[in-house]
Amino acid sequence: MNKLTIKLLDFMGENIVLIIMMAAIFFSLQYFHSQESQQLVDLVKQAEIIKFKLALLMEKGA
């Protein structure tokens, strides 16, 4: 093995907990971002439904 590989393995060995924590934080952020995006999509859908219902009510009243 060359020196770079040995240094990389030493770094990973010394900081494995930090690397695992960083990966956990990254994946949890990705998960919560996707959840938030889905909630925004649902909110827009609900707004469109309300707008459609209001248009129907206005049409019936006219």
Side-chain angles (χ1 to χ4, degrees):
M1 284 195 230
N2 60 15
K3 289 183 179 182
L4 180 62
T5 306
I6 292 171
K7 285 185 179 184
L8 182 63
L9 289 174
D10 284 342
F11 174 78
M12 288 177 64
E14 293 171 2
N15 298 305
I16 191 71
V17 173
L18 179 63
I19 293 169
I20 291 171
M21 287 175 57
M22 287 173 55
I25 289 170
F26 173 77
F27 288 115
S28 64
L29 286 173
Q30 292 295 323
Y31 172 76
F32 288 122
H33 177 69
S34 69
Q35 291 294 319
E36 183 179 281
S37 295
Q38 184 60 41
Q39 289 175 351
L40 287 173
V41 167
D42 291 343
L43 186 63
V44 169
K45 285 180 183 177
Q46 288 176 357
E48 289 294 321
I49 290 170
I50 290 171
K51 188 170 77 172
F52 180 70
K53 286 181 178 180
L54 284 173
L56 286 176
L57 286 174
M58 298 284 281
E59 193 175 293
K60 284 184 181 180

